[in-house]
Amino acid sequence: MNLPELGAFLRTRRDRIRPAEVGLPQGPRRRVPGLRREEIAQLAGLSADYYTELERGSADNGVQPSAQTLVALARALRLNSDERDYLFHLAERPVPPSAHGPSAHVRPALLGLLDRLSNTPARVITDLHETLVENDLARNLLGTSPAHRGPAASFVYRWFTDPQARERYPSEDHPHHSRVFVADLQAAAARRGRDAEVTKMVAVLRRRSREFAALWDTHDVAVRRMDHKKIVHPTLGIIELDCYNLLSEDGRQRLLWFTAPPGSPGAEQLELLSVIGTQDLSVTEGTAPEGLSAAESETGR
Protein backbone atom coordinates (compact mmCIF):
# COMPACT_ATOMS: atom_id res chain seq x y z
CA MET A 1 0.00 0.00 0.00
CA ASN A 2 1.42 3.35 -1.06
CA LEU A 3 0.46 5.35 2.03
CA PRO A 4 2.45 8.53 1.21
CA GLU A 5 0.88 8.77 -2.25
CA LEU A 6 -2.52 7.95 -0.81
CA GLY A 7 -2.20 10.76 1.74
CA ALA A 8 -0.99 13.24 -0.88
CA PHE A 9 -3.87 12.34 -3.19
CA LEU A 10 -6.42 12.84 -0.41
CA ARG A 11 -4.96 16.26 0.40
CA THR A 12 -5.09 17.50 -3.18
CA ARG A 13 -8.68 16.31 -3.62
CA ARG A 14 -9.73 17.94 -0.35
CA ASP A 15 -8.12 21.26 -1.28
CA ARG A 16 -10.12 21.59 -4.50
CA ILE A 17 -13.59 21.29 -2.90
CA ARG A 18 -15.24 24.56 -1.99
CA PRO A 19 -17.44 24.59 1.13
CA ALA A 20 -20.47 25.80 -0.85
CA GLU A 21 -20.26 22.68 -3.03
CA VAL A 22 -21.15 20.48 -0.06
CA GLY A 23 -23.56 22.86 1.63
CA LEU A 24 -21.11 24.35 4.14
CA PRO A 25 -20.70 28.09 4.86
CA GLN A 26 -17.58 29.74 3.49
CA GLY A 27 -16.88 31.53 6.78
CA PRO A 28 -14.43 34.42 7.32
CA ARG A 29 -11.76 32.41 9.14
CA ARG A 30 -10.84 29.85 6.51
CA ARG A 31 -7.13 29.86 5.74
CA VAL A 32 -7.45 27.61 2.69
CA PRO A 33 -10.09 27.56 -0.06
CA GLY A 34 -10.81 23.84 0.34
CA LEU A 35 -12.39 21.82 3.12
CA ARG A 36 -10.89 21.12 6.51
CA ARG A 37 -9.87 17.60 7.46
CA GLU A 38 -12.62 17.31 10.04
CA GLU A 39 -15.20 18.33 7.44
CA ILE A 40 -14.17 15.55 5.05
CA ALA A 41 -14.14 13.14 7.97
CA GLN A 42 -17.69 14.14 8.87
CA LEU A 43 -18.91 13.80 5.28
CA ALA A 44 -17.35 10.33 5.08
CA GLY A 45 -18.61 9.20 8.48
CA LEU A 46 -15.08 8.80 9.89
CA SER A 47 -13.42 10.20 12.97
CA ALA A 48 -11.28 13.29 12.42
CA ASP A 49 -8.26 11.56 13.99
CA TYR A 50 -8.56 8.59 11.67
CA TYR A 51 -8.80 10.74 8.56
CA THR A 52 -5.82 12.81 9.71
CA GLU A 53 -3.76 9.62 10.00
CA LEU A 54 -4.76 8.70 6.45
CA GLU A 55 -3.59 12.05 5.09
CA ARG A 56 -0.30 11.85 6.96
CA GLY A 57 0.41 8.64 5.05
CA SER A 58 2.93 7.27 7.50
CA ALA A 59 3.54 3.52 7.62
CA ASP A 60 4.07 3.84 11.37
CA ASN A 61 0.39 4.49 12.08
CA GLY A 62 -0.76 1.08 10.81
CA VAL A 63 -3.76 2.50 8.94
CA GLN A 64 -5.32 0.03 6.52
CA PRO A 65 -8.47 1.58 5.03
CA SER A 66 -11.20 -0.89 4.14
CA ALA A 67 -13.08 -0.90 0.83
CA GLN A 68 -16.10 0.57 2.62
CA THR A 69 -13.97 3.43 3.95
CA LEU A 70 -12.58 4.11 0.47
CA VAL A 71 -16.08 4.20 -1.02
CA ALA A 72 -17.12 6.73 1.63
CA LEU A 73 -14.03 8.87 0.96
CA ALA A 74 -14.63 8.81 -2.80
CA ARG A 75 -18.14 10.13 -2.24
CA ALA A 76 -17.08 12.75 0.31
CA LEU A 77 -14.30 14.00 -1.98
CA ARG A 78 -16.54 14.01 -5.08
CA LEU A 79 -14.14 11.82 -7.05
CA ASN A 80 -14.96 10.92 -10.61
CA SER A 81 -14.72 7.28 -11.73
CA ASP A 82 -11.05 7.47 -12.75
CA GLU A 83 -10.09 9.15 -9.47
CA ARG A 84 -12.08 6.61 -7.47
CA ASP A 85 -10.26 3.74 -9.21
CA TYR A 86 -6.91 5.44 -8.58
CA LEU A 87 -7.74 5.74 -4.87
CA PHE A 88 -8.44 2.00 -4.69
CA HIS A 89 -5.21 1.21 -6.56
CA LEU A 90 -3.18 3.30 -4.11
CA ALA A 91 -4.80 1.46 -1.21
CA GLU A 92 -4.22 -1.89 -2.99
CA ARG A 93 -7.88 -2.79 -2.79
CA PRO A 94 -9.95 -4.42 -5.58
CA VAL A 95 -11.87 -1.79 -7.51
CA PRO A 96 -15.62 -2.34 -6.92
CA PRO A 97 -18.19 -2.21 -9.74
CA SER A 98 -18.78 1.34 -10.91
CA ALA A 99 -22.25 0.94 -12.36
CA HIS A 100 -24.34 -0.88 -9.81
CA GLY A 101 -24.49 -2.53 -6.40
CA PRO A 102 -24.38 -1.00 -2.89
CA SER A 103 -20.73 -0.02 -3.36
CA ALA A 104 -21.30 1.64 -6.74
CA HIS A 105 -19.61 4.95 -7.36
CA VAL A 106 -22.23 7.68 -7.05
CA ARG A 107 -22.29 10.11 -9.95
CA PRO A 108 -20.77 13.39 -8.63
CA ALA A 109 -23.53 15.43 -10.26
CA LEU A 110 -26.24 13.48 -8.42
CA LEU A 111 -24.26 13.67 -5.19
CA GLY A 112 -23.92 17.44 -5.58
CA LEU A 113 -27.66 17.80 -6.01
CA LEU A 114 -28.30 15.60 -2.99
CA ASP A 115 -26.16 17.93 -0.87
CA ARG A 116 -28.38 20.85 -1.82
CA LEU A 117 -31.58 19.08 -0.79
CA SER A 118 -31.01 19.60 2.92
CA ASN A 119 -34.71 20.26 3.60
CA THR A 120 -36.03 17.46 1.40
CA PRO A 121 -35.92 13.67 1.92
CA ALA A 122 -33.65 12.40 -0.85
CA ARG A 123 -31.47 9.46 -1.78
CA VAL A 124 -29.43 8.19 -4.72
CA ILE A 125 -30.34 4.67 -5.84
CA THR A 126 -29.37 2.32 -8.66
CA ASP A 127 -31.71 1.17 -11.41
CA LEU A 128 -32.29 -1.96 -9.30
CA HIS A 129 -33.37 0.26 -6.38
CA GLU A 130 -30.28 -0.29 -4.26
CA THR A 131 -29.70 2.69 -1.98
CA LEU A 132 -26.23 4.20 -2.46
CA VAL A 133 -26.45 7.28 -0.26
CA GLU A 134 -29.27 9.18 1.47
CA ASN A 135 -29.74 12.23 3.65
CA ASP A 136 -31.03 12.29 7.22
CA LEU A 137 -34.57 13.27 6.22
CA ALA A 138 -34.82 10.24 3.92
CA ARG A 139 -33.80 7.99 6.79
CA ASN A 140 -36.32 9.73 9.06
CA LEU A 141 -39.08 9.25 6.49
CA LEU A 142 -38.36 5.75 5.20
CA GLY A 143 -36.12 4.21 7.83
CA THR A 144 -32.47 3.28 7.43
CA SER A 145 -31.76 1.09 4.41
CA PRO A 146 -30.66 -2.43 5.45
CA ALA A 147 -27.00 -3.22 4.81
CA HIS A 148 -27.69 -6.21 2.56
CA ARG A 149 -25.56 -7.59 -0.26
CA GLY A 150 -26.63 -9.42 -3.37
CA PRO A 151 -30.26 -9.37 -4.55
CA ALA A 152 -31.53 -8.43 -1.07
CA ALA A 153 -29.82 -5.04 -1.43
CA SER A 154 -32.58 -4.15 -3.90
CA PHE A 155 -35.76 -2.68 -2.44
CA VAL A 156 -37.69 -4.21 -5.34
CA TYR A 157 -36.38 -7.64 -4.35
CA ARG A 158 -37.33 -7.10 -0.70
CA TRP A 159 -40.75 -5.74 -1.73
CA PHE A 160 -41.68 -9.13 -3.17
CA THR A 161 -39.87 -11.36 -0.66
CA ASP A 162 -40.01 -9.59 2.72
CA PRO A 163 -43.38 -8.41 4.12
CA GLN A 164 -41.61 -5.89 6.35
CA ALA A 165 -40.52 -3.96 3.25
CA ARG A 166 -44.14 -2.94 2.67
CA GLU A 167 -44.85 -1.65 6.18
CA ARG A 168 -44.23 2.00 5.23
CA TYR A 169 -46.98 1.91 2.60
CA PRO A 170 -50.76 1.49 3.08
CA SER A 171 -51.92 -1.98 2.09
CA GLU A 172 -54.41 -0.61 -0.44
CA ASP A 173 -51.50 0.96 -2.35
CA HIS A 174 -49.43 -2.23 -2.56
CA PRO A 175 -50.81 -3.42 -5.93
CA HIS A 176 -49.98 -0.06 -7.52
CA HIS A 177 -46.41 -0.06 -6.21
CA SER A 178 -45.93 -3.67 -7.33
CA ARG A 179 -46.92 -2.79 -10.90
CA VAL A 180 -44.69 0.29 -10.91
CA PHE A 181 -41.67 -1.60 -9.55
CA VAL A 182 -41.98 -4.45 -12.05
CA ALA A 183 -42.47 -2.13 -15.03
CA ASP A 184 -39.41 -0.14 -13.96
CA LEU A 185 -37.36 -3.32 -13.54
CA GLN A 186 -38.41 -4.43 -17.04
CA ALA A 187 -36.91 -1.23 -18.40
CA ALA A 188 -33.70 -1.73 -16.40
CA ALA A 189 -33.35 -5.32 -17.60
CA ALA A 190 -33.74 -4.27 -21.23
CA ARG A 191 -31.25 -1.44 -20.82
CA ARG A 192 -28.64 -3.72 -19.23
CA GLY A 193 -29.03 -6.49 -21.78
CA ARG A 194 -27.66 -9.88 -20.73
CA ASP A 195 -26.61 -8.70 -17.31
CA ALA A 196 -25.96 -11.53 -14.82
CA GLU A 197 -27.10 -9.53 -11.80
CA VAL A 198 -30.52 -8.57 -13.08
CA THR A 199 -31.04 -11.98 -14.74
CA LYS A 200 -30.41 -13.71 -11.41
CA MET A 201 -32.71 -11.33 -9.56
CA VAL A 202 -35.58 -11.86 -11.98
CA ALA A 203 -35.16 -15.65 -11.90
CA VAL A 204 -35.22 -15.77 -8.09
CA LEU A 205 -38.19 -13.41 -7.88
CA ARG A 206 -40.17 -15.48 -10.36
CA ARG A 207 -39.62 -18.54 -8.15
CA ARG A 208 -40.33 -16.82 -4.84
CA SER A 209 -43.25 -14.53 -5.71
CA ARG A 210 -46.32 -15.46 -7.73
CA GLU A 211 -47.30 -11.79 -7.76
CA PHE A 212 -44.00 -10.83 -9.34
CA ALA A 213 -44.14 -13.65 -11.89
CA ALA A 214 -47.65 -12.66 -12.99
CA LEU A 215 -46.70 -9.00 -13.34
CA TRP A 216 -43.44 -9.82 -15.16
CA ASP A 217 -45.34 -11.86 -17.73
CA THR A 218 -47.48 -8.84 -18.65
CA HIS A 219 -44.30 -7.24 -20.13
CA ASP A 220 -45.46 -3.78 -19.06
CA VAL A 221 -42.52 -1.35 -19.27
CA ALA A 222 -42.31 2.13 -17.77
CA VAL A 223 -39.35 3.96 -16.25
CA ARG A 224 -40.50 5.49 -12.98
CA ARG A 225 -39.99 9.24 -13.13
CA MET A 226 -42.75 10.55 -10.87
CA ASP A 227 -45.25 9.06 -8.46
CA HIS A 228 -47.65 10.15 -5.71
CA LYS A 229 -47.05 8.20 -2.51
CA LYS A 230 -48.54 7.73 0.90
CA ILE A 231 -45.89 6.97 3.52
CA VAL A 232 -46.89 5.42 6.84
CA HIS A 233 -44.69 7.17 9.40
CA PRO A 234 -44.62 5.64 12.94
CA THR A 235 -45.02 9.06 14.59
CA LEU A 236 -46.66 11.37 12.06
CA GLY A 237 -49.08 8.87 10.53
CA ILE A 238 -49.77 8.86 6.79
CA ILE A 239 -47.79 11.47 4.84
CA GLU A 240 -48.86 12.19 1.25
CA LEU A 241 -45.94 13.25 -0.94
CA ASP A 242 -44.88 13.53 -4.56
CA CYS A 243 -41.85 11.41 -5.45
CA TYR A 244 -39.60 12.55 -8.31
CA ASN A 245 -36.69 10.80 -10.04
CA LEU A 246 -33.78 12.39 -11.89
CA LEU A 247 -31.89 9.78 -13.91
CA SER A 248 -28.21 9.77 -14.79
CA GLU A 249 -27.33 9.83 -18.49
CA ASP A 250 -26.97 6.03 -18.70
CA GLY A 251 -30.06 5.43 -16.56
CA ARG A 252 -28.20 3.31 -14.04
CA GLN A 253 -28.51 5.74 -11.15
CA ARG A 254 -31.19 8.19 -10.10
CA LEU A 255 -31.73 10.89 -7.55
CA LEU A 256 -35.02 10.31 -5.80
CA TRP A 257 -36.64 13.00 -3.65
CA PHE A 258 -39.94 13.67 -1.89
CA THR A 259 -41.81 16.95 -1.78
CA ALA A 260 -45.29 18.37 -1.21
CA PRO A 261 -47.14 21.54 -2.35
CA PRO A 262 -46.53 24.53 -0.05
CA GLY A 263 -49.18 24.82 2.65
CA SER A 264 -50.37 21.23 2.23
CA PRO A 265 -50.53 18.77 5.15
CA GLY A 266 -47.62 16.89 3.60
CA ALA A 267 -45.45 20.02 3.60
CA GLU A 268 -46.24 20.63 7.27
CA GLN A 269 -45.42 17.01 8.12
CA LEU A 270 -42.07 17.28 6.33
CA GLU A 271 -41.22 20.26 8.53
CA LEU A 272 -42.13 18.24 11.62
CA LEU A 273 -40.05 15.36 10.30
CA SER A 274 -36.87 17.42 10.46
CA VAL A 275 -37.64 18.27 14.10
CA ILE A 276 -38.63 14.78 15.21
CA GLY A 277 -35.67 13.13 13.52
CA THR A 278 -35.19 9.48 14.38
CA GLN A 279 -35.86 9.73 18.10
CA ASP A 280 -39.18 7.88 17.89
CA LEU A 281 -38.24 5.43 15.17
CA SER A 282 -37.51 1.83 16.01
CA VAL A 283 -34.22 0.38 14.82
CA THR A 284 -34.67 -1.96 11.87
CA GLU A 285 -33.12 -5.35 12.45
CA GLY A 286 -30.08 -5.93 10.29
CA THR A 287 -29.48 -2.30 9.46
CA ALA A 288 -26.07 -0.71 9.42
CA PRO A 289 -25.07 1.60 12.30
CA GLU A 290 -25.12 5.34 11.81
CA GLY A 291 -22.09 6.66 9.94
CA LEU A 292 -19.19 4.40 9.11
CA SER A 293 -17.85 3.53 12.52
CA ALA A 294 -18.04 -0.12 11.46
CA ALA A 295 -15.82 0.68 8.48
CA GLU A 296 -13.20 2.10 10.78
CA SER A 297 -13.28 -1.01 12.92
CA GLU A 298 -12.46 -3.11 9.84
CA THR A 299 -9.27 -1.24 9.17
CA GLY A 300 -7.20 -2.99 11.81
CA ARG A 301 -6.21 0.21 13.57
Side-chain angles (χ1 to χ4, degrees):
M1 182 176 298
N2 195 334
L3 288 174
E5 285 295 323
L6 178 65
F9 182 64
L10 292 175
R11 285 193 300 275
T12 60
R13 300 307 92 180
R14 173 171 62 86
D15 288 344
R16 72 177 183 176
I17 302 176
R18 300 299 179 263
E21 295 177 19
V22 294
L24 295 174
Q26 182 65 39
R29 297 184 178 180
R30 287 187 177 271
R31 299 179 179 178
V32 294
L35 296 186
R36 301 185 180 99
R37 287 173 175 171
E38 58 268 24
E39 290 170 336
I40 288 295
Q42 182 179 4
L43 290 171
L46 306 172
S47 70
D49 290 341
Y50 180 75
Y51 179 75
T52 298
E53 291 299 313
L54 280 176
E55 273 206 7
R56 286 177 178 170
S58 172
D60 297 334
N61 58 31
V63 173
Q64 298 288 325
S66 67
Q68 186 179 4
T69 298
L70 296 172
V71 168
L73 285 171
R75 292 174 181 173
L77 293 165
R78 304 312 190 252
L79 303 186
N80 60 36
S81 298
D82 293 335
E83 292 169 330
R84 190 283 305 261
D85 293 352
Y86 182 67
L87 177 66
F88 272 79
H89 289 314
L90 290 177
E92 296 183 357
R93 297 283 186 182
V95 177
S98 59
H100 50 77
S103 61
H105 182 60
V106 184
R107 302 293 192 271
L110 296 182
L111 198 55
L113 289 173
L114 178 67
D115 289 332
R116 288 162 173 76
L117 296 175
S118 57
N119 297 320
T120 303
R123 56 176 37 160
V124 177
I125 65 174
T126 70
D127 56 349
L128 299 187
H129 294 257
E130 303 152 320
T131 298
L132 302 179
V133 62
E134 57 191 344
N135 61 19
D136 289 337
L137 276 178
R139 283 186 284 268
N140 297 350
L141 178 67
L142 303 169
T144 302
S145 300
H148 291 313
R149 298 289 176 178
S154 165
F155 184 72
V156 173
Y157 181 89
R158 298 196 304 275
W159 178 265
F160 290 101
T161 60
D162 182 2
Q164 289 186 348
R166 303 191 178 198
E167 290 180 350
R168 292 285 174 126
Y169 301 88
S171 57
E172 62 269 21
D173 293 345
H174 291 179
H176 165 75
H177 292 310
S178 295
R179 291 192 298 271
V180 170
F181 282 139
V182 173
D184 190 75
L185 185 60
Q186 284 274 17
R191 183 169 52 249
R192 289 192 180 203
R194 297 180 179 180
D195 180 88
E197 183 182 20
V198 69
T199 299
K200 177 182 178 180
M201 179 186 296
V202 170
V204 174
L205 283 175
R206 287 180 65 88
R207 291 197 304 268
R208 296 192 58 181
S209 172
R210 292 183 178 179
E211 180 189 19
F212 176 86
L215 289 171
W216 189 261
D217 289 341
T218 66
H219 296 283
D220 289 341
V221 181
V223 176
R224 188 179 70 168
R225 294 181 174 87
M226 187 274 177
D227 202 356
H228 185 78
K229 290 191 174 187
K230 296 177 183 177
I231 308 295
V232 181
H233 189 271
T235 302
L236 300 177
I238 294 180
I239 309 175
E240 292 198 39
L241 301 169
D242 293 320
C243 176
Y244 294 94
N245 292 258
L246 176 65
L247 278 66
S248 61
E249 290 185 0
D250 61 1
R252 294 225 174 179
Q253 292 184 10
R254 64 185 68 174
L255 174 67
L256 181 153
W257 73 96
F258 296 85
T259 187
S264 67
E268 295 176 1
Q269 288 170 303
L270 283 182
E271 291 184 9
L272 288 174
L273 189 68
S274 63
V275 176
I276 292 174
T278 57
Q279 59 186 356
D280 293 327
L281 301 183
S282 59
V283 178
T284 303
E285 182 178 357
T287 57
E290 192 73 19
L292 282 177
S293 56
E296 295 183 60
S297 66
E298 296 175 2
T299 59
R301 289 184 63 209

